[in-house]
Amino acid sequence: MTFDECIEKYYIDHNYNCSETLIHAANEYYGLNLDEESMKMMSGFGGGMFVGETCGALIGSVAALSKKVIQSKAHEELDTFRPQIQKCVRNFKEELGATACKDVKPVHHTKEKKCLMTCKLAGAALEKTMKELELDH
């Protein structure tokens, strides 16, 4: 199954929001070994924390990348971690045109498919980041 197919499965079949979708799909695709209970922490980030701020799909992507790369804690790995996260945010912004839900939603949301396209584009950006960092499978 491709990452794009994982995203579609979690967004459509499981009815997760954008942030939940990205962490579930990344968990499956990249083998993050997160349990279902832990992934509930992403629930409140959908819809830009339900106020249109940072897109939940970006937050889910950053969370997945963090889980993939952090060995101990961010403050002990800033020299390598900071540019990795910056690359993830840059790729997201290049793919979607913005990072705030209030700016992404008018462009990529539809009444029929809701935020599916946002999630798929976020997934493409995360895949690009993982490949650039040589972290893909």
Side-chain angles (χ1 to χ4, degrees):
M1 182 176 286
T2 67
F3 191 40
D4 193 65
E5 290 168 336
C6 283
I7 288 169
E8 193 163 323
K9 175 177 86 171
Y10 287 104
Y11 192 81
I12 293 174
D13 299 345
H14 295 278
N15 197 33
Y16 284 118
N17 70 29
C18 53
S19 186
E20 294 168 317
T21 293
L22 264 294
I23 199 68
H24 277 85
N27 188 52
E28 179 177 327
Y29 191 75
Y30 291 108
L32 302 179
N33 298 315
L34 294 167
D35 62 73
E36 195 66 36
E37 198 62 27
S38 297
M39 288 187 283
K40 288 180 181 179
M41 288 188 292
M42 300 309 296
S43 301
F45 295 103
M49 294 164 281
F50 301 102
V51 295
E53 293 298 331
T54 304
C55 177
L58 174 56
I59 293 170
S61 297
V62 168
L65 179 58
S66 298
K67 175 66 167 92
K68 187 84 172 166
V69 300
I70 287 293
Q71 300 298 309
S72 176
K73 56 186 106 167
H75 281 161
E76 293 177 359
E77 302 171 42
L78 273 182
D79 290 345
T80 56
F81 186 57
R82 184 186 324 238
Q84 291 169 326
I85 296 303
Q86 290 170 341
K87 188 173 291 216
C88 183
V89 173
R90 182 202 69 217
N91 288 342
F92 183 94
K93 190 171 184 178
E94 285 176 2
E95 194 72 38
L96 287 103
T99 59
C101 178
K102 65 181 174 56
D103 299 323
V104 170
K105 190 173 180 178
V107 178
H108 301 291
H109 182 275
T110 66
K111 186 176 180 180
E112 301 78 32
K113 295 192 177 188
K114 301 179 182 176
C115 286
L116 177 61
M117 186 53 62
T118 298
C119 291
K120 287 184 167 210
L121 291 170
L126 180 58
E127 275 191 297
K128 179 180 179 181
T129 303
M130 293 292 202
K131 285 179 181 154
E132 288 174 355
L133 299 174
E134 299 179 355
L135 297 169
D136 53 329
H137 284 68

